[in-house]
Amino acid sequence: MAQQNIYDNEVFFDSFKGLRSDEINFNEVIETPIITAMLPDMKGKKVLDIGCGMGQHAIQYSKAGAASVLGTDISEKMLGFAKENNAAENITYRRLAFEDIAQLDEKFDIITSSLAFDYSEDFGKLMKDIYVLINDGGYLVFSMSHPISTAYDGVYDRYTRTEDKVRLYANLHNYGIEGVRHFKWVVEDYEVYHRKFSTLINCIAGAGFIIEECQESTVPDEILKKHPDKFGGVIHQPDFIFFRCRKSNR
Ligand SMILES: C[S@@+](CC[C@H](N)C(=O)[O-])C[C@H]1O[C@@H](n2cnc3c(N)ncnc32)[C@H](O)[C@@H]1O
């Protein structure tokens, strides 16, 4: 199975670290507030954060009262940053690709993941593997790139624009063709997997989950007014999609 570990590429890592530590970035302004609002109460819960990266969410969950947080990621560099900057007594960071997540021999009350599942070639298997790792009545809450945003070819502009470059429409490229997409994002050959919305739903439900909530990214008005160039695309196309899924104990 194809596994990409682009975050251990020095140029990519440095660039991502720069973007992620900027106060006004897509993670802090869009992703974190939405996923946080969708999470169940973390107090006393055993949490797994898949694709934890530099640990910003793991420390958030630890501070929110989780009994323990295990953060897993494929990238040594991301985990190195997490261990140095986002450590706490009840957090463990472990190098483990989500393709191998079934190797964990423990169960969790809440499994989360922020913007990591775009890199999964086999999303259906991932959902099934995660289902097994959740206690009855537990939750999977995650974000990933929205299928509209991954329907992109990297060659043409994402938007049709007016003569003075104002975004008019979002362009979709081959929405109906699923699979790997290559485009330039920091590095020339950045890879994510494009899937249709229906595939996401069918993989989640097919694993046995009940979908309790789904959200698409929006940006607060005051941020949009202050940073129209950076966030102006969000009103035309949602960058991220979010799901809160439950393993029923009925
Ligand atoms: C966009 S970053 C998000 C990091 C973190 N969740 C956050 O919100 O800042 C994506 C993360 O997914 C990780 N990742 C990519 N492919 C992976 C894989 N196959 N298994 C585990 N983690 C992976 C990357 O190393 C990276 O840390």
Side-chain angles (χ1 to χ4, degrees), residues 95-195:
R95 188 160 191 229
L96 182 67
F98 49 60
E99 289 83 355
D100 301 324
I101 205 73
Q103 284 177 12
L104 291 176
D105 56 2
E106 52 184 323
K107 288 197 177 194
F108 301 86
D109 303 311
I110 303 171
I111 298 188
T112 64
S113 180
S114 290
L115 305 179
F117 292 167
D118 317 3
Y119 305 109
S120 167
E121 185 179 11
D122 192 343
F123 184 71
K125 178 179 182 301
L126 182 61
M127 290 297 106
K128 286 182 187 150
D129 286 349
I130 289 174
Y131 190 82
V132 172
L133 294 174
I134 299 184
N135 287 320
D136 286 348
Y139 293 88
L140 165 66
V141 185
F142 69 95
S143 64
M144 65 191 295
S145 289
H146 197 289
I148 286 178
S149 130
T150 53
Y152 175 57
D153 75 341
V155 176
Y156 296 100
D157 193 340
R158 279 187 182 273
Y159 302 94
T160 302
R161 297 175 190 258
T162 60
E163 272 175 14
D164 43 1
K165 301 285 176 217
V166 174
R167 296 173 182 97
L168 255 188
Y169 313 113
N171 299 321
L172 291 188
H173 179 79
N174 287 350
Y175 175 84
I177 301 177
E178 301 191 313
V180 70
R181 298 284 173 113
H182 300 265
F183 49 88
K184 186 174 177 201
W185 189 53
V186 185
V187 290
E188 285 298 331
D189 203 20
Y190 180 72
E191 267 183 13
V192 291
Y193 288 90
H194 167 69
R195 274 172 278 264

Side-chain angles (χ1 to χ4, degrees), residues 7-247:
Y7 290 78
D8 272 349
N9 170 309
E10 201 149 321
V11 175
F12 190 89
F13 173 75
D14 285 344
S15 167
F16 184 79
K17 192 170 69 174
L19 289 174
R20 189 72 172 87
S21 53
D22 180 351
E23 240 175 70
I24 305 295
N25 67 52
F26 276 71
N27 303 74
E28 294 301 325
V29 169
I30 297 180
E31 199 271 340
T32 301
I34 297 176
I35 199 166
T36 302
M38 294 173 75
L39 286 166
D41 188 0
M42 292 255 158
K43 283 196 195 76
K45 299 291 192 278
K46 202 172 159 193
V47 178
L48 167 64
D49 184 22
I50 299 178
C52 64
M54 298 190 284
Q56 289 94 338
H57 281 297
I59 195 81
Q60 175 195 348
Y61 304 151
S62 159
K63 286 180 181 162
S68 65
V69 183
L70 172 62
T72 57
D73 202 282
I74 197 174
S75 160
E76 270 175 17
K77 283 187 184 292
M78 297 293 267
L79 289 169
F81 184 99
K83 286 176 192 164
E84 227 168 83
N85 299 280
N86 287 312
E89 241 176 46
N90 64 347
I91 302 180
T92 308
Y93 291 110
R94 175 168 165 189
R95 188 160 191 229
L96 182 67
F98 49 60
E99 289 83 355
D100 301 324
I101 205 73
Q103 284 177 12
L104 291 176
D105 56 2
E106 52 184 323
K107 288 197 177 194
F108 301 86
D109 303 311
I110 303 171
I111 298 188
T112 64
S113 180
S114 290
L115 305 179
F117 292 167
D118 317 3
Y119 305 109
S120 167
E121 185 179 11
D122 192 343
F123 184 71
K125 178 179 182 301
L126 182 61
M127 290 297 106
K128 286 182 187 150
D129 286 349
I130 289 174
Y131 190 82
V132 172
L133 294 174
I134 299 184
N135 287 320
D136 286 348
Y139 293 88
L140 165 66
V141 185
F142 69 95
S143 64
M144 65 191 295
S145 289
H146 197 289
I148 286 178
S149 130
T150 53
Y152 175 57
D153 75 341
V155 176
Y156 296 100
D157 193 340
R158 279 187 182 273
Y159 302 94
T160 302
R161 297 175 190 258
T162 60
E163 272 175 14
D164 43 1
K165 301 285 176 217
V166 174
R167 296 173 182 97
L168 255 188
Y169 313 113
N171 299 321
L172 291 188
H173 179 79
N174 287 350
Y175 175 84
I177 301 177
E178 301 191 313
V180 70
R181 298 284 173 113
H182 300 265
F183 49 88
K184 186 174 177 201
W185 189 53
V186 185
V187 290
E188 285 298 331
D189 203 20
Y190 180 72
E191 267 183 13
V192 291
Y193 288 90
H194 167 69
R195 274 172 278 264
K196 294 185 286 186
F197 183 75
S198 54
T199 300
L200 296 184
I201 300 287
N202 292 332
C203 288
I204 297 168
F209 285 110
I210 294 164
I211 298 174
E212 287 192 342
E213 187 179 351
C214 174
Q215 296 288 343
E216 294 166 293
S217 42
T218 51
V219 65
D221 281 350
E222 65 278 12
I223 301 276
L224 190 56
K225 273 186 203 132
K226 267 196 212 157
H227 306 276
D229 284 349
K230 199 166 194 174
F231 297 108
V234 180
I235 53 172
H236 293 286
Q237 59 156 23
D239 293 85
F240 312 137
I241 191 159
F242 301 75
F243 291 98
R244 185 177 72 229
C245 315
R246 187 114 198 239
K247 179 166 175 171

